[in-house]
Amino acid sequence: MIVLFFGDVVGERATAFLAEQLPGLRRAHGADLVIVNAENSAPNGLGMGGKQVHELLEAGADVITGGNHSWDSSDSVAQLALPRVLRPANLAPGVPGRGIAHLAVGGVTVTVINLADQCAMRSVKA
């Protein structure tokens, strides 16, 4: 299985560039699964912008991951409700979003788990 992982995508320009390139990169590398860390994809580089997340998903990203910046804006928090957007799994109960996704890839189930160092996650509250 070939997995492409991109990150950290920061801001609108980087998101637009990756979205434009992603279909070709996926084909060129024969990627079965594409994961993009987009926790800083919002226009100001802090949090996930809804427009940017949808642009990456439409371009062929299978999973979007976030980290400590996933709560930098209400738009970013809203993205955590999407089934293919993951925040770190190793957080206290009650924190919005999910940290694990199960996807059918090439006839098998693949589990993607997003984990983060606790030092980076200190500011996240349930």
Side-chain angles (χ1 to χ4, degrees):
M1 177 171 298
I2 297 174
V3 177
L4 294 180
F5 181 86
F6 297 93
D8 186 355
V9 178
V10 179
E12 283 183 299
R13 288 180 51 196
T15 303
F17 178 80
L18 180 57
E20 179 183 304
Q21 300 297 313
L22 193 52
L25 289 166
R26 189 171 193 143
R27 279 190 307 276
H29 295 283
D32 301 296
L33 179 66
V34 175
I35 302 169
V36 178
N37 179 278
E39 69 174 296
N40 293 306
S41 64
N44 65 357
L46 297 173
M48 292 181 266
K51 175 182 178 277
Q52 290 73 33
V53 166
H54 290 285
E55 190 175 1
L56 291 167
L57 290 170
E58 288 176 14
D62 296 299
V63 176
I64 304 292
T65 63
N68 62 320
H69 291 289
S70 297
W71 295 270
D72 283 356
S73 70
S74 58
D75 190 23
S76 188
V77 172
Q79 302 318 301
L80 296 174
L82 300 173
R84 295 190 297 156
V85 175
L86 302 181
R87 51 102 167 133
N90 54 328
L91 297 176
V95 174
R98 69 193 50 75
I100 188 169
H102 305 284
L103 302 132
V105 179
V108 299
T109 299
V110 174
T111 299
V112 178
I113 302 173
N114 182 7
L115 300 173
D117 181 286
Q118 290 298 309
C119 289
M121 302 308 296
R122 284 188 190 146
S123 63
V124 178
K125 305 288 185 227

